[in-house]
Amino acid sequence: MDVTLAELVDALPAGVVVTDPDLLEKYRRDRAADPAAGMPLAAVRAESTEHVQAALRWAARHRVPVVPRGAGTGLSGGATAVDGGIVLSTERMRAIEVSPRTRMAVVQPGLLNTEVKAAAAAHGLWYPPDPSSFEICSIGGNVATNAGGLCCVKYGVTTDYVLGLEVVLSDGTAVRLGGPRLKDVAGLSLTKLFVGSEGTLGIITEVTLRLLPAQPPSSTLVATFASTRQATAAVLAITAALRPAMLEYMDQVSINAVEDMLHMGLDRDAAAMLLARSDSRYLAAELEMRSMAEACQAHGATEVLATDDPAEGEAFVVARRGVIPAVERRGTVLLEDVGVPLPRLPELVAGIEAIAAARAVTIALIAHAGDGNTHPLIVFDPADAAAAARAQLAFGEVMDLAIRLDGTITGEHGVGRLKKAWLADQVGGDALDLSLRIKQALDPLGILNPGAIFP
Ligand SMILES: Cc1cc2nc3c(=O)[nH]c(=O)nc-3n(C[C@H](O)[C@H](O)[C@H](O)COP(=O)(O)OP(=O)(O)OC[C@H]3O[C@@H](n4cnc5c(N)ncnc54)[C@H](O)[C@@H]3O)c2cc1C
């Protein structure tokens, strides 16, 4: 072992620093499986803020790159390891304290989203943000990417629940930002600066989260359409009239991929399916469900099914959550996350269909439709070099299309390494320059997640 690394190993308790190449393999990539992943010197499985500080002080002293890692479910290569760097994993930082009196939780970053929800539920409370990956992703990763999810159309995204943070900066200093206050405008909004910063500005070591009273029982509506145009028109009609607790979209490729995997009896012939929810109470729920059904029927739905049986409703949500794993069974997937202002959703969906046809690639399309946030999944046979090249072209064209429609290259997954080439086109040179100045101020040595977000 090299002398420098031995210094890090000595500074931390036994078992915290992993250097065995076989064990390091699992820390090299996130779910985007970036082929350019490097080989890290070590993974540091920190158990406390002090361990993170020790690792960063060592890294700053020796100018070693540090790639923060939660559960590695990211879809943009944000946690891709770099050659000669370390991976700073928070998987062992798993404490949580729920305060029912203040309706808040103080959580370490390695706890999974589902575990935060369960701990809140034990006190009759609810942590809403629900990425489809909620059973496998960490709360630290959620904060670092500002994760969204299915109920965010009504309840907002991760940042709306982050009241405070403890962050370890690139020189090893730990700072506390925000805190257990619902309103707090003292000083610059530094807490929010770190939400969605994808590990490029600091390492999040503790989060203070806002919780809500438990969600009321919800009713679920499923509608199928013979054309994607009708389905997106129904989305616009529903969102113009009310705020559903969920409004998700699946196209025919997605429906068939899920049906192959789960055999649920979904309509394989439908061009698109919408999944909508109301969690309002009593008469309000009835009115919302009726209004959503009418909007679907008015836009030519071939079938509309409504249920207030939670198990039946959940089965359809499971189908929606299953799309990414189901499509991954069909080949290599390039997963996009483009979003547009809602009125432009029909143009985005039609444009993506046109790109798929022009490039002769298969694109499965799912969307958090009520947020105008789509996930085109470009799937190809990795053994077919020509198909892989066409898929790469389509990947860029989808982001170009979103930018032309006044949209974003990423609504919730982050820029990571795979989308950074398009960032300047979206935000413009001045905004990128300002971001680089902030990065330079907080990480002057450029050791925090180099290669992510920034050129
Ligand atoms: C099947 C599937 C479905 C998904 N559905 C959704 C969805 O609906 N909505 C959604 O938003 N995302 C979704 N995702 C993407 C992913 O789960 C989220 O981006 C999630 O927030 C990543 O969490 P993680 O713990 O896995 O983070 P990682 O992948 O480990 O890291 C993600 C980024 O955060 C940084 N990071 C991680 N922890 C820290 C920390 N403590 N401090 C500083 N930086 C840190 C990393 O460096 C990296 O840049 C899905 C993924 C899968 C596989």
Side-chain angles (χ1 to χ4, degrees), residues 68 70-75 78 132-133 138 141-142 144-145 147-148 198-199 204 412-413 449:
T73 68
L75 294 169
S132 286
S133 52
S138 76
N142 290 175
T145 56
E198 301 186 47
I204 296 155
E412 57 181 21
H413 295 162
N449 215 358

Side-chain angles (χ1 to χ4, degrees), residues 218-222 275-278 289 304-316:
S218 46
S219 308
T220 306
L221 178 141
V222 181
L275 183 59
R277 260 193 179 163
S278 166
M289 289 297 283
V304 178
L305 183 151
T307 177
D308 49 20
D309 173 358
E312 199 182 359
E314 198 49 35
F316 287 105

Side-chain angles (χ1 to χ4, degrees), residues 30-31 67-75 77-79 88 90 109 130-133 136-150 197-200 202-205 320-321 324-325 328 368 375 412-414 416-417 449 452:
D30 59 17
R31 192 63 173 260
V67 174
R69 181 183 178 93
T73 68
L75 294 169
L88 196 300
T90 59
D130 59 347
S132 286
S133 52
I136 52 173
C137 62
S138 76
I139 205 75
N142 290 175
V143 175
T145 56
N146 192 11
L150 281 65
S197 64
E198 301 186 47
T200 62
I203 313 252
I204 296 155
T205 47
R320 164 62 187 85
R321 288 205 178 101
I324 294 177
E328 282 174 341
H368 305 302
H375 297 318
E412 57 181 21
H413 295 162
R417 288 172 174 75
N449 215 358

